[in-house]
Structures are given as structure tokens and as C-alpha cells.
Amino acid sequence: MAILFSTDFASILTWSSDGGCDISDKKLTTLKDRAKEKIQVARSLSLGGGGNVCPLLIREVFIQVLIKLKVCFVQSFSEADRDIMTLANHWNCPVLSSDSDFCIFDLKSGFCSLNSFQWRNLNTIKDTQDYYIPARSFSLDAFCHYFNNMNKALLPLFAVLCGNDHVNLPSVDTFISKVRLPLSSKGKRYHRVLGLLNWLSHFDDPTEALDNVLKSLPKKNRDNVKELLCRSMEEYQQSQVKLQDFFQYGSYVCTDALDLGLPEWVLAALAKGQLPPFISDALVLRRTFLHTQVENMQQPNAHRISQPIRQIIYGLLLNAPSHPEDISQNTLPSQLLAFNEVERINTNIKTSTVYAKQLLKDHCDLSKLTELPLARRQMLLLEALKVKQVVLESIPTFLKLPIAVTCYWLQSTEVKAKLHHLQALLLGMLREPLHAIVNSPGNEDPRRGGAKMLYEELRQVKAPMRPGPRVDLDTAHVFCQWQSCLQMGLYLNQLLSTPLPEPNLTWLYSGSLVHGLCQQLLASGSVESILGICPEAKQLYEHLFNATKSYAPAELFLPKTKSKSKKRRQKKKVASLGTTADAKHCYDRSNRFGLLMLESLEEHVENSELE
């Protein structure tokens, strides 16, 4: 985003993102499959293998960056693909995305895959001071021209026959098996994709092609299959939602959302990204997905620690006044309190039932939640985090919420945190105030020298290290638990209209920094030796440490002892090392139409004609 900003692109850029899961739940199977794949990739990474798993708080970081760069953005109520396509065509501009589904949409100005940008190749336009980034644009017209001037209206049928996020019918496999596909050395996936494209290119329109598909199926199945295929093809048509109204008037109408009768302030906050999709999923579907991190797969998933916070969030979302007044809050039927959480169990997923925490009556009316006084909302937040307000009095405003979350994290019996884990987290929180001192106006500030030295030392610890020992799994799991607490603390804070300011997440936490600091503290360093060059940072650290110390278990401060089984545990971890190839295979499957964006299709087209 910073590179786009330097090209003056951000001044005209708008961003539309997915909201919660589709209300119809038609993608539930796909979402569960992706969750399973992510677990396998996370497992591979945790064991030193390859793969790609997005950080837990990436959405929140991204939104903060958009706000900082003053980029207008909107968050759709559910799936955003059709809304984005409609908006892009209205503005006659290309779509930037990593989702290959946009190869199927009829986009007037094309589709630019984020992977096609040469991000490090910033160029200057001749005789100007303007910059540009080279990229490739996918054109549907050019693509269809390649396949015998194929009617682009046939591509939605191609997508559903290929198996997209909305349909995966055994009947489609029956059709594929009855249409003779020539053998190909490029693999089954390429064989199927290119064969279907060539076969479809012989038809004038989707109706004719669909009739030929149905002819290969048993008569008893045809009506049901036709209905499902047609309904799935509609996912590639224009949306009735006009996102352009949001950018022009500050709001837009989403019929699906309005029909649910949600409070107006909730809909507005969701559109502005002030509430996460997690909230809309819990509200509408009574189900949430807890995303797997690179954690210790032998332990319970890291989100277990933050479940009590989620139970309070669910309690606030119950909107209890809709129930008859004569029903006591203590006698609400259990089914009204139940929410489902899709979570990791070992290396698989499981849907667990969690019950909302019943709150005081004046906290339960969601429509009036924003009307509660600031002090009441702050009290509710701190009670959920099990922290007394007096503890935060000496903490800078921008760190109150992270320190409250850290106090909650330390109190959990599930956390096996050590002193160096806490120290590393608190040292990492010093980066933002150090950066402010270093970049303060005026060269006469006597604090600048020590602050600059400490800032540079932390920067070097954070710098990517050369390949070396794998990450310590126990340490990784402890930090994953802290991030889960922070995520749910942020969500509860947002639901309560931010009674505590949101921290700058980019500065607050860096995985490479805290892991590096842990190694440094365990090896030979001490907090005193690190902070000795900057008294101001040392004083702030002491305030942070003293605030959290009273909530830490006593064993956290016991003298270090050597573990006889440490080497044996390390050998056991190495023995269970996963492979990079498996993780990469899982990751690639989630982008079904990535093949269509290849620079040249000629090498894959040989002998792929369907008869």
C-alpha cells in the first residue's frame, strides 16, 4: 500500500472487502475445507516447512493502514465479489485482487492480480516526476478470443462445471466422465480446465451449452442439477448493491442486511469497517470461524484462552429485549444462548457449541449499546478482561488496551508464559514511543541519542534472520494465545464503541521482534542491559511491567531451572517435520482459476480439444 501511495495511486484508490459469510451459507463446505487446508499449512510452518498463513490481525492492520493513508474503503455485508465487479464497471476501472474468480467476471477494464505486480520495480514516467509499477492485466475479451472467439457469457458455466466455491456436484463429475477428454501430460487439473474451455467454445450461448451438459445426466437428476447450476451462475452477474452510494453519500443500501432488522448503528459500523466480519457472522449465523495460527498443534488451539471474552461478545449480541419481558435473563432457553465456533482440534476442525454469557439487563439491548455512558462501557470492557481500572492509570493512553489484554492473558491457567515472554512483549511495545522521540522536531532533545540507539537495536533484532533453528513451538503458542486475546479484546472494544483507544498494531507487535528478544533474553541479555542506554524507555517499561506483574502467577518470577527433557522434546519435534511440497499443494488449491492468468496458455493447450 505504501508503494501504491508513492505512485499517487492511493489518491484515487478505493477498497472494497468481504464482510461476513454469505447469509445463505452456500459456501460453508468450502470454508471448512479451506480451514482444514490452513491447518495443514500452519502445521508445516510450525515444523520448519513451507507455506503461507496470514497473521491473525492482518485485517485490522490493513484497515489501520488504509485510514492512515486516507484511502476510502467500504466493507460489504457478506461476500463482496459481485459488489466489487459492479462498482468497478460503474467507475470503469480495473479490479486488484488475488482472487482468481475475477477472471470469470465481465470486467470492463480488466483484472490485475496482486501477484502480477512488480512491487520492487518502481519506474518513472519519462519527462515527469510520476511513478508507476509494472503489472499485467487480465482481459476477458482477449482470453475469449484465444478460445475461438468464445462467448464470454459461457464463462460462469465453465466456473461452476470446473467446481467453484458455490457448487461441487457429483453429477458434474458424471458429465466430465462421459465427455471424452484426450490425455494430457500437464496433469488432471489443466486437462479438465482447458478441455472444458475448448468444449464450451463450440456453443453460441449458455443455454445451448447447459442443455448439452444435462443430456449426459440421468433424467431424474436433470431438473435439480439445472436449478443448482443456474443459481450458481448468477453469482457472476451484476449485484443490486450500489457501493458507489457509500463513497458519495456515506452509506449504501443492502437489502439482505436490512431484512435482518439489525440496528442501524451496527450496519453503519460494519460498512465502515469499525466492526469486523466476526460480529456479523455471530449476529446472523450464530457461527464464527476461529482462524488457525502457526502454533503448537499438539496443544489445544490458541483461541481457547479468549473464549470467555467471546462469550461476553455473544451476550451483547443476543439483543435480549426482543424476548418477552416476562422471561428472566436467568431463564433464557439454552438454544437462545448457543453459538457455534469452528475451531482447530489437533490437525482437524470441529464445530463446538459455546454459550453466551448473560449480562445485566441494561447491557443487553444491542440497539442502545452506543447510548451507554463512556464510563459504563469502559467498565464492561475491563470487567471482561478481569482488570481493575486503577492498574492502568500510569499507562499511556495508546497502550491501555494492550496492557489490559496482557493482564487477562497472564491470568489464564492455559498459558504457560515465562518471564522472558512477558518481557519481550513489553519491550516490543516501546518501539512506537521510541520512534516518536527519534522523530520529534528539533535536534536539541537530550533524549534523542539514547532513544535512537535503543530503537536501532530493536530494529536489528526485528530484521529477518538468515535460515537457522526453527521457531520454538512453546514460545510461538504462547504468543499466539496473546494475539487471540488481543484480537477479541479489540473486537469487544469496537462493539462497545471504543471506550479505550485502539493501539497502532503495526508498532504494537512484531512476531520476529518478540521471538528475537526471547532468544536474546535467554542467551545472555537482561532487560536492564537492553534499556540502560535510554532512561525514558526504561521508566515506561517499568510502568508497563508493574501494571502486569500483579496479575502474573507467582511461578513466573521463580529462578530459571534447566529442563532435563528439553533436548528430548526438540528431537521429537524434528522427527515430526512436515514437507514444504504438501503445504504448497494445499495452498494452491484455494485459487481455482489461477491457471487462466498464466502468461502463455499455449504449452497447456496441446491435445486438449474435447470431442
Side-chain angles (χ1 to χ4, degrees), residues 368-507:
K368 298 179 181 179
L369 192 58
T370 55
E371 299 175 13
L372 288 177
L374 173 62
R376 182 71 63 84
R377 288 182 281 117
Q378 194 173 95
M379 180 191 71
L380 184 55
L381 173 65
L382 295 180
E383 284 180 352
L385 298 177
K386 304 175 184 178
V387 179
K388 295 181 180 179
Q389 189 166 0
V390 65
V391 173
L392 303 178
E393 288 180 354
S394 61
I395 305 301
T397 304
F398 66 96
L399 287 177
K400 287 184 185 295
L401 181 58
I403 291 299
V405 164
T406 305
C407 292
Y408 172 90
W409 169 73
L410 287 169
Q411 293 176 74
S412 173
T413 56
E414 291 191 35
V415 175
K416 307 302 180 185
K418 302 292 191 295
L419 180 59
H420 63 276
H421 295 144
L422 174 61
Q423 291 170 330
L425 280 173
L426 300 182
L427 286 170
M429 294 180 191
L430 300 178
R431 283 195 307 145
E432 185 174 6
L434 285 171
H435 182 265
I437 294 174
V438 171
N439 292 278
S440 60
N443 297 321
E444 304 301 325
D445 193 334
R447 305 174 300 168
R448 176 170 293 185
K452 190 172 184 179
M453 291 173 63
L454 178 56
Y455 181 79
E456 181 61 25
E457 184 175 335
L458 293 177
R459 191 188 67 80
Q460 290 179 4
V461 174
K462 180 180 179 292
M465 297 178 292
R466 294 178 180 178
R470 290 184 291 112
V471 66
D472 181 278
L473 276 184
D474 291 334
T475 294
H477 200 81
V478 164
F479 288 141
C480 285
Q481 290 174 316
W482 183 84
Q483 289 180 79
S484 178
C485 294
L486 179 62
Q487 182 189 47
M488 292 305 152
L490 284 168
Y491 290 174
L492 178 57
N493 191 50
Q494 291 172 352
L495 186 59
L496 294 170
S497 301
T498 58
L500 291 180
E502 283 198 4
N504 187 330
L505 297 173
T506 303
W507 288 106

Side-chain angles (χ1 to χ4, degrees), residues 309-342:
I309 305 176
R310 291 194 298 279
Q311 289 177 293
I312 291 176
I313 291 175
Y314 300 151
L316 290 169
L317 298 179
L318 282 175
N319 210 0
S322 62
H323 303 296
E325 291 295 331
D326 57 345
I327 295 182
S328 166
Q329 281 293 298
N330 296 322
T331 59
L332 281 175
S334 60
Q335 64 268 26
L336 294 179
L337 299 172
F339 288 76
N340 290 325
E341 295 183 340
V342 182

Side-chain angles (χ1 to χ4, degrees), residues 209-239:
L210 182 57
D211 288 342
N212 277 270
V213 171
L214 297 174
K215 285 178 184 177
S216 66
L217 304 179
K219 289 185 178 180
K220 63 179 182 179
N221 295 340
R222 291 179 185 177
D223 288 342
N224 289 337
V225 172
K226 181 178 181 180
E227 181 183 355
L228 179 58
L229 292 178
C230 289
R231 191 165 63 244
S232 299
M233 289 165 62
E234 290 175 0
E235 297 299 324
Y236 296 97
Q237 304 305 313
Q238 286 237 138
S239 166

Side-chain angles (χ1 to χ4, degrees), residues 20-68:
C21 298
D22 193 279
I23 303 173
S24 66
D25 242 1
K26 53 179 173 264
K27 286 183 63 174
L28 180 58
T29 301
T30 298
L31 292 172
K32 287 185 174 181
D33 287 343
R34 287 179 180 173
K36 292 176 185 177
E37 290 174 4
K38 185 178 287 187
I39 289 172
Q40 297 307 318
V41 179
R43 177 182 178 274
S44 174
L45 285 166
S46 70
L47 297 173
N52 190 346
V53 173
C54 289
L56 185 65
L57 295 168
I58 190 169
R59 172 197 168 273
E60 285 67 39
V61 170
F62 184 62
I63 284 181
Q64 287 187 353
V65 172
L66 291 178
I67 293 171
K68 180 181 179 181

